[in-house]
Amino acid sequence: MVNLELIRLISRASPSKIVLLVLDGLGGLPKPETGKTELETANTPNLDKLAARSVCGLSEPIGPGITPGSAPGHLALFGYDPIGTNIGRGVLEAVGIDFDLQPKDVAARGNFCTVDQTGLITDRRAGRISTEKCTELCRLLDGLAIENVQIIVQPVREHRLVVILRGDGLSPEVTDSDPQQLGVAPKVITALSLDAEKVASIANQFVARAKAILADHAPANMVLLRGFSQRPCFLTMGEIYKLRPAVIASYPMYRGLARLVGMDVLKTGTSIEDEFETLTQNYSNYDFFFVHVKGTDSAGEDGDFDRKVRVIEQVDRALPKLLDLQPDVMVVTGDHSTPALLKGHSWHPVPVLLCSKWCRPDKVSEFSESACMLGGLGRFPAMQIMPLAMANALKLTKFGA
Amino acid sequence: MVNLELIRLISRASPSKIVLLVLDGLGGLPKPETGKTELETANTPNLDKLAARSVCGLSEPIGPGITPGSAPGHLALFGYDPIGTNIGRGVLEAVGIDFDLQPKDVAARGNFCTVDQTGLITDRRAGRISTEKCTELCRLLDGLAIENVQIIVQPVREHRLVVILRGDGLSPEVTDSDPQQLGVAPKVITALSLDAEKVASIANQFVARAKAILADHAPANMVLLRGFSQRPCFLTMGEIYKLRPAVIASYPMYRGLARLVGMDVLKTGTSIEDEFETLTQNYSNYDFFFVHVKGTDSAGEDGDFDRKVRVIEQVDRALPKLLDLQPDVMVVTGDHSTPALLKGHSWHPVPVLLCSKWCRPDKVSEFSESACMLGGLGRFPAMQIMPLAMANALKLTKFGA
């Protein structure tokens, strides 16, 4: 397995640059009619040409058979143990909206939802209200103080919000109020440890106040909370790899996750072209770039095979601009598979290509699941991608005498 | 590596069904005259057709170079750490004959053997006496009591027996009396810890009494004991995977092992066809079936290449009946290799195929060692088979936010 203490010991700063391009949910499953996956269906001349100069493989984000959530999938790509490193959903959402989360804060992910007259949930997402509406409703809930604890309520996107409890002696070890199903009432939040009784009590009071305040705001007439958590403590990528890392992502959660591991967040637009332009403009300021493309995962989640194909083709068309920068190490992969056929994340291993002057290319000449299967990296844990990228950037010194 | 606590956390019950068909000792070595292994020599149209719809690979039961015994080989197939999970041979034999082993019991595997006038072993298996003869001799030894400990002696099959010590304060940490070679005397059993002195003393007294009782029963005129052990404590497959698992095996040890991990034992006949018929009849009552075929291993152990080929062909001919049930996930593999050329278990990785609607098939279109080498699963630890089967049965939820 990857040993970050070892990597920390042998890593060194150098001018060489690494670009990690993540197509979220890249891996797929073959359409029965054609026998080809999304990536195999897409016309990708630039990725194929790159694959021919690369060493390729299939990565397992967490382990065989394990379907990753977004956080563990990305932690593995950054070289962290995705099972041992636990980041709560509340923390992820908070840092993802550039909220300056303090070490003692407890954050929870929230949904505006719809409840009927008897209090039973009829829509967990309140009809996906607009971000503007969400912002307006968050303003109504923001700034309460309960038992000397300040309650900060911030909009995320559509029906999503973050609730932050700020005060002393707060423990995040409480259950969710979100039952993750319809036709039942939101659950009472309960403490999982003695320390957490204060947070449970305050959170329940907050929910009750929110219900009263939102009564006339159907469909967003209630909130659901989940993933109460505090900032985790671990080594940053700067400390482990001696890198100056930056993230380019249009979607808040990925920026937040990258910030937690010590990346600078670069302001960017929403398109792939915007993201690549941001990379170009900031190229001289960093030596590691994590570029995140969300569209592949969204299309996969929606079960839209053809749209996922189109997003991949769009990345392929934009790729030459990125390659013109001639990064010393270029990695293209995903954080997990999201096959359109499954309409969700899956356990299937993910195509990876790693191109560098020193990569020892294999015979793979096409970037696809079936071609990468026979690549020089074989089927391997995603946690190994960072050490391989570091080595190919000549940023790791010899181990042992 | 596979983390059973993680699997336990994300597994869920569902109606989908998994069939794990184990051809014991499946993997082989090529005959020099043909360059083909037993599996490659066998005419297996049904397995080949299945492989074409499957993802394939070569599994390592324990680790590279490690030749598995039957117990660790199967534990790995059930997803348990085959090195960390130690089950004694005595326990295995006891549970394999449906003996109701109690937690405090100490069990040992026994052989009736032949010793000459000077007490040296001339046949470790007493000419493989009949099971009837074994039963008769066990009756002579059963029911002794030594130092307040009850000695239960039960026949297994041919020359094999189980000896159970039942009483208080018994520790199984003692050496074997079976020297596993000819021309020497049975060894004195010695305690490996202070706690175990009582068991060593009782076991040696039992052996002495048995020698006296059996004196006139040549060739079965002595017993050899090995594998003193107590029931291990670990999570069952029901607890880990939320499965209702059942075993179909004609050979007692495999039933016993399966029972230890929580499988129901289904009554079956001795042929492959009997076993598949048992599966069909019980198909609606369980969602996981471990079907064990012994003949491949026995033929390999006997060095009978052609017989092993014939057993594989027999399985292939019977396979359509099993596939007619349309299990959601079908796995065909072995617990280890038993090449006829080596006349014994070996360390060589074992062909695996996993077929499901969601398996992402590879280019393998023949079930063989050389074809599976290039399969989508690569060369991988056998412990990963269960998580993969569970994922393909859609019985694992997402890990992490």
Side-chain angles (χ1 to χ4, degrees):
Chain A
M1 287 307 298
V2 176
N3 182 326
L4 286 184
E5 273 307 320
L6 170 61
I7 300 291
R8 185 189 191 187
L9 199 71
I10 63 175
S11 64
R12 63 174 176 194
S14 85
S16 60
K17 289 177 193 288
I18 301 171
V19 174
L20 172 63
L21 174 59
V22 175
L23 279 67
D24 202 302
L26 175 62
L29 279 174
K31 213 176 185 169
E33 297 85 340
T34 63
K36 288 183 171 187
T37 66
E38 298 89 324
L39 181 57
E40 288 161 6
T41 304
N43 179 32
T44 54
N46 295 309
L47 282 165
D48 294 345
K49 239 182 289 170
L50 188 61
R53 296 193 288 125
S54 300
V55 62
C56 297
L58 287 177
S59 80
E60 302 267 11
I62 317 284
I66 311 297
T67 295
S70 300
H74 277 88
L75 284 173
L77 289 179
F78 303 151
Y80 294 81
D81 173 8
I83 296 173
T85 313
N86 194 14
I87 302 177
R89 188 68 189 223
V91 167
L92 276 180
E93 294 287 343
V95 296
I97 54 164
D98 296 310
F99 182 82
D100 186 20
L101 197 68
Q102 301 298 303
K104 292 197 288 181
D105 291 351
V106 168
R109 153 78 188 264
N111 273 17
F112 283 108
C113 71
T114 313
V115 292
D116 64 17
Q117 290 102 323
T118 60
L120 305 184
I121 301 164
T122 58
D123 184 344
R124 282 187 58 252
R125 297 181 182 88
R128 290 191 186 270
I129 52 168
S130 68
T131 305
E132 292 69 36
K133 186 73 188 168
C134 178
T135 306
E136 182 193 322
L137 296 174
C138 283
R139 251 183 243 127
L140 299 177
L141 304 178
D142 187 38
L144 296 171
I146 301 173
E147 297 181 22
N148 282 324
V149 168
Q150 187 190 350
I151 316 281
I152 304 162
V153 179
Q154 298 279 316
V156 178
R157 193 184 259 206
E158 296 177 335
H159 56 284
R160 303 178 190 94
L161 62 146
V162 189
V163 177
I164 295 111
L165 278 56
R166 179 165 288 172
D168 287 323
L170 302 181
S171 159
E173 294 173 335
V174 299
T175 60
D176 298 343
S177 81
D178 187 347
Q180 307 243 19
Q181 55 177 309
L182 300 180
V184 297
K187 291 183 178 171
V188 172
I189 295 160
T190 60
L192 296 168
S193 71
L194 284 175
D195 290 350
E197 285 182 0
K198 183 173 175 183
V199 166
S201 158
I202 293 169
N204 285 318
Q205 291 177 60
F206 168 76
V207 170
R209 301 266 281 271
K211 189 174 185 180
I213 292 168
L214 297 170
D216 297 333
H217 292 275
N221 61 359
M222 184 52 168
V223 293
L224 298 173
L225 300 180
R226 62 186 162 108
F228 287 83
S229 43
Q230 282 177 317
R231 279 189 78 130
C233 285
F234 46 61
L235 292 176
T236 64
M237 287 183 79
E239 290 165 322
I240 298 163
Y241 304 115
K242 325 283 190 313
L243 291 169
R244 286 166 302 136
V247 52
I248 301 169
S250 64
Y251 202 86
M253 206 188 71
Y254 307 96
R255 291 198 297 268
L257 190 52
R259 187 186 282 116
L260 279 182
V261 297
M263 293 192 211
D264 276 4
V265 176
L266 303 182
K267 235 182 127 67
T268 191
T270 53
S271 74
I272 293 160
E273 293 76 11
D274 290 341
E275 293 190 340
F276 287 11
E277 177 58 29
T278 304
L279 175 63
T280 305
Q281 280 168 14
N282 290 274
Y283 196 66
S284 58
N285 302 329
Y286 298 91
D287 57 5
F288 178 88
F289 296 89
F290 158 47
V291 185
H292 182 264
V293 173
K294 177 69 180 169
T296 29
D297 181 58
S298 309
E301 293 258 11
D302 290 347
D304 193 335
F305 192 99
D306 296 340
R307 195 171 99 226
K308 189 170 166 193
V309 170
R310 287 198 302 274
V311 176
I312 295 168
E313 290 179 339
Q314 199 185 341
V315 172
D316 190 80
R317 275 195 305 277
L319 196 67
K321 177 177 176 132
L322 198 162
L323 297 178
D324 281 349
L325 297 169
Q326 300 190 286
D328 299 275
V329 179
M330 176 80 217
V331 178
V332 184
T333 189
D335 55 335
H336 52 72
S337 292
T338 307
L341 269 75
L342 274 172
K343 295 188 183 181
H345 294 194
S346 80
W347 64 90
H348 300 89
V350 188
V352 184
L353 69 75
L354 185 155
C355 186
S356 90
K357 192 175 168 187
W358 312 113
C359 73
R360 194 196 273 169
D362 49 32
K363 309 240 187 244
V364 175
S365 60
E366 179 194 299
F367 192 48
S368 72
E369 288 85 349
S370 52
C372 285
M373 209 174 269
L374 301 174
L377 295 173
R379 189 166 68 97
F380 71 105
M383 270 178 83
Q384 299 180 352
I385 291 174
M386 271 306 294
L388 286 168
M390 289 287 292
N392 275 273
L394 305 183
K395 287 180 191 288
L396 293 183
T397 60
K398 191 163 65 174
F399 170 69
Chain B
M1 285 311 297
V2 175
N3 182 328
L4 284 185
E5 272 306 320
L6 171 62
I7 300 289
R8 185 189 190 187
L9 199 70
I10 62 175
S11 63
R12 63 174 175 195
S14 86
S16 59
K17 289 178 194 285
I18 301 171
V19 174
L20 172 63
L21 173 60
V22 175
L23 279 67
D24 202 302
L26 175 62
L29 279 174
K31 213 176 185 170
E33 296 85 337
T34 62
K36 289 184 173 186
T37 66
E38 298 89 325
L39 180 57
E40 287 161 7
T41 304
N43 179 32
T44 54
N46 295 309
L47 283 166
D48 294 344
K49 239 183 289 172
L50 188 62
R53 296 193 286 128
S54 299
V55 62
C56 299
L58 288 176
S59 80
E60 301 269 12
I62 318 284
I66 312 298
T67 295
S70 300
H74 277 88
L75 283 173
L77 288 180
F78 304 151
Y80 294 81
D81 173 8
I83 296 174
T85 313
N86 195 14
I87 301 177
R89 187 69 189 226
V91 168
L92 276 180
E93 294 287 344
V95 295
I97 54 164
D98 296 308
F99 182 82
D100 187 19
L101 197 68
Q102 301 299 305
K104 293 197 288 180
D105 291 351
V106 167
R109 152 78 189 264
N111 273 18
F112 283 108
C113 70
T114 313
V115 292
D116 64 17
Q117 290 101 324
T118 61
L120 305 184
I121 301 164
T122 57
D123 184 344
R124 283 186 57 252
R125 298 181 182 87
R128 289 189 185 271
I129 52 169
S130 68
T131 305
E132 292 68 36
K133 186 74 189 167
C134 178
T135 307
E136 182 194 322
L137 295 174
C138 284
R139 250 181 244 130
L140 300 177
L141 304 179
D142 186 37
L144 296 172
I146 302 175
E147 298 181 21
N148 282 326
V149 168
Q150 187 189 352
I151 316 280
I152 303 162
V153 180
Q154 297 280 316
V156 178
R157 191 186 261 207
E158 297 177 337
H159 56 284
R160 303 178 190 90
L161 62 147
V162 189
V163 177
I164 296 111
L165 278 57
R166 179 165 288 173
D168 287 322
L170 303 181
S171 158
E173 295 173 333
V174 299
T175 60
D176 297 344
S177 80
D178 186 348
Q180 306 242 17
Q181 55 177 306
L182 300 180
V184 297
K187 291 181 177 173
V188 173
I189 294 160
T190 60
L192 296 168
S193 73
L194 284 174
D195 288 350
E197 286 182 359
K198 182 172 175 184
V199 166
S201 158
I202 292 168
N204 285 318
Q205 291 177 61
F206 168 75
V207 170
R209 302 265 281 270
K211 190 175 183 180
I213 292 168
L214 296 170
D216 297 333
H217 293 274
N221 61 359
M222 183 52 167
V223 291
L224 298 173
L225 300 180
R226 61 188 163 108
F228 287 83
S229 44
Q230 281 177 319
R231 277 191 82 129
C233 284
F234 47 61
L235 292 177
T236 64
M237 288 183 79
E239 289 167 321
I240 298 164
Y241 303 115
K242 324 280 189 315
L243 291 169
R244 285 167 301 137
V247 51
I248 300 169
S250 62
Y251 202 87
M253 204 189 71
Y254 306 96
R255 291 198 297 266
L257 190 50
R259 187 186 282 116
L260 278 182
V261 297
M263 293 192 212
D264 276 4
V265 175
L266 303 182
K267 235 182 129 67
T268 191
T270 53
S271 75
I272 293 160
E273 292 76 12
D274 289 341
E275 293 191 340
F276 287 11
E277 176 59 28
T278 304
L279 175 63
T280 305
Q281 280 169 14
N282 290 275
Y283 195 65
S284 57
N285 302 328
Y286 298 91
D287 55 7
F288 178 89
F289 295 89
F290 157 48
V291 184
H292 182 264
V293 173
K294 178 68 180 168
T296 29
D297 182 58
S298 309
E301 294 257 12
D302 290 347
D304 193 335
F305 191 99
D306 296 340
R307 195 172 99 226
K308 190 170 165 193
V309 170
R310 286 197 302 274
V311 176
I312 295 168
E313 290 180 339
Q314 198 185 344
V315 171
D316 189 81
R317 274 195 305 276
L319 196 66
K321 177 176 175 133
L322 198 162
L323 297 180
D324 280 349
L325 297 169
Q326 299 189 288
D328 298 275
V329 179
M330 177 80 218
V331 178
V332 184
T333 188
D335 55 334
H336 53 71
S337 293
T338 307
L341 270 74
L342 273 172
K343 296 188 182 181
H345 294 197
S346 79
W347 64 91
H348 301 89
V350 187
V352 183
L353 70 75
L354 186 156
C355 187
S356 92
K357 192 177 170 187
W358 311 111
C359 73
R360 194 197 270 168
D362 50 31
K363 309 242 186 243
V364 175
S365 59
E366 179 194 299
F367 191 49
S368 72
E369 288 85 348
S370 52
C372 285
M373 209 174 271
L374 300 174
L377 296 173
R379 188 166 69 96
F380 71 104
M383 269 180 83
Q384 299 181 351
I385 290 173
M386 271 305 295
L388 285 168
M390 289 286 293
N392 275 275
L394 305 184
K395 287 180 191 286
L396 295 182
T397 60
K398 193 163 66 172
F399 170 70

